[in-house]
Amino acid sequence: MNQQAIDILKNHQLSITASRASILALFIKSKKALSHNTIEHKCSPAFDRVTIYRTLALFIEKGIIHNIPTADNTTLYALCKNECTAGHHHDEHIHFICDDCGTTTCLEETDIPKIKLPKGYKAFEVQMVVTGTCGHCV
Amino acid sequence: MNQQAIDILKNHQLSITASRASILALFIKSKKALSHNTIEHKCSPAFDRVTIYRTLALFIEKGIIHNIPTADNTTLYALCKNECTAGHHHDEHIHFICDDCGTTTCLEETDIPKIKLPKGYKAFEVQMVVTGTCGHCV
DNA sequence: GTAACTGCAAAATATTTGCATCCTT
DNA sequence: AAGGATGCAAATATTTTGCAGTTAC
């Protein structure tokens, strides 16, 4: 079992099970956003679809992963940075979707610029999704 | 039938049918983003679910509406501004989701600030979704 | 040992496809 | 009249729920 995955589970007071460690290890290893389907196919041994749904929901609740709003409304999940805590996400970074390789990554280093909203509006969370070509596909 | 809706259909060389005009009129009247479900319930007389799916797909293809990536991955649609043409969307504006009233609106006036991406990355389209409270819910 | 986790079955929901009929032009 | 649009039925895909057996601590 991936030690890093186990540590993350421990840090969030979650019991360590094969499915959780395995799914988490997949996120750590792939370094990009994954869909439910991808997870289902890349985990070996495979886990029940329902287990994956429940595991992902748990991880989101605990602030371990977050989901990414994509232009075509498929559901993607990616690891959160450390600042995320249960119930409150701080994913103020840019999500980049590459048209060529289809990969969705979180650009942690790139900050989202401040925006000025119309009078009376108050921002709580800001999501930014950029489509284009990534550094590897030029 | 809503004349504005008819004009939009004509401008895109689409035949004018009850469902198309009615769905389009709903967007014009409500001035906010709508889900498939909302459209299904607010149209009277009601249209078949399948017709709504096909109409929305057609409108997106023709650049009449665009879909909005939401944090909870529900599918929302909103009217495009005039610059959109078939096959190529220019929705470089901010989508605002109000936590209080649940309304999603397009802030057409508010420009998305320029961002600087990592070396090698090229942006083609930029989406921005802001969550918070809107002017009406203060 | 006990509470929590998993897998299976099945329900509920969402989306797509095929086809016959109807409507727009 | 002809081609496209609609509605219905049904296939497919996605997500949720209930429950009994299994596992982590």
Side-chain angles (χ1 to χ4, degrees):
Chain A
M1 276 198 204
N2 182 312
Q3 186 59 44
Q4 204 179 337
I6 292 174
D7 289 343
I8 293 174
L9 290 173
K10 277 185 183 162
N11 289 343
H12 289 84
Q13 285 101 43
L14 296 175
S15 52
I16 290 138
T17 67
S19 59
R20 289 175 184 178
S22 182
I23 292 171
L24 211 37
L26 192 59
F27 276 110
I28 294 166
K29 188 182 141 221
S30 66
K31 294 191 181 70
K32 58 176 187 172
L34 304 170
S35 67
H36 177 280
N37 236 289
T38 306
I39 294 166
E40 193 180 343
H41 293 312
K42 289 230 178 138
C43 277
S44 54
F47 300 102
D48 193 272
R49 193 171 287 163
V50 176
T51 300
I52 298 172
Y53 276 117
R54 289 196 268 230
T55 303
L56 291 172
L58 177 74
F59 286 177
I60 287 178
E61 185 195 318
K62 294 291 179 180
I64 298 173
I65 62 172
H66 58 278
N67 67 8
I68 301 176
T70 60
D72 63 348
N73 277 89
T74 51
T75 311
L76 287 179
Y77 308 86
L79 277 182
C80 290
K81 287 171 66 182
N82 332 355
E83 301 102 59
C84 291
T85 51
H88 189 74
H89 284 276
H90 275 289
D91 302 305
E92 308 271 310
H93 59 269
I94 295 173
H95 293 117
F96 191 92
I97 304 172
C98 181
D99 280 333
D100 283 358
C101 58
T103 302
T104 300
T105 45
C106 301
L107 303 180
E108 309 278 10
E109 334 79 41
T110 312
D111 282 330
I112 292 183
K114 284 275 164 290
I115 46 160
K116 51 172 196 334
L117 295 169
K119 208 173 163 65
Y121 282 70
K122 271 180 68 179
F124 172 68
E125 194 184 342
V126 180
Q127 297 258 17
M128 199 156 180
V129 182
V130 181
T131 313
T133 47
C134 74
H136 312 99
C137 288
V138 183
Chain B
M1 278 200 203
N2 182 312
Q3 186 58 43
Q4 204 179 336
I6 292 174
D7 289 343
I8 293 173
L9 291 172
K10 278 185 184 164
N11 289 343
H12 289 85
Q13 284 101 45
L14 297 175
S15 52
I16 290 140
T17 66
S19 59
R20 289 174 184 178
S22 182
I23 292 172
L24 211 38
L26 192 59
F27 277 110
I28 294 167
K29 187 181 142 221
S30 65
K31 296 192 181 68
K32 58 175 187 171
L34 304 170
S35 68
H36 178 280
N37 235 290
T38 307
I39 294 167
E40 193 180 343
H41 293 312
K42 288 230 179 140
C43 277
S44 56
F47 299 103
D48 193 89
R49 193 170 288 164
V50 175
T51 300
I52 297 171
Y53 276 117
R54 289 197 268 230
T55 303
L56 291 172
L58 176 75
F59 285 177
I60 286 177
E61 186 196 318
K62 294 291 179 178
I64 298 174
I65 61 173
H66 59 278
N67 67 7
I68 300 177
T70 60
D72 63 348
N73 277 89
T74 51
T75 311
L76 287 179
Y77 309 87
L79 277 182
C80 290
K81 287 171 66 183
N82 332 353
E83 301 100 59
C84 291
T85 51
H88 190 74
H89 284 276
H90 276 290
D91 302 303
E92 308 270 311
H93 59 269
I94 294 173
H95 293 118
F96 191 92
I97 303 172
C98 181
D99 280 334
D100 284 358
C101 58
T103 302
T104 299
T105 45
C106 301
L107 302 181
E108 309 279 9
E109 334 79 41
T110 312
D111 283 330
I112 291 183
K114 283 276 165 288
I115 45 160
K116 50 174 197 332
L117 295 169
K119 209 173 162 64
Y121 282 70
K122 272 181 68 178
F124 171 67
E125 195 184 342
V126 180
Q127 296 258 18
M128 200 157 180
V129 181
V130 181
T131 313
T133 47
C134 73
H136 312 100
C137 287
V138 183

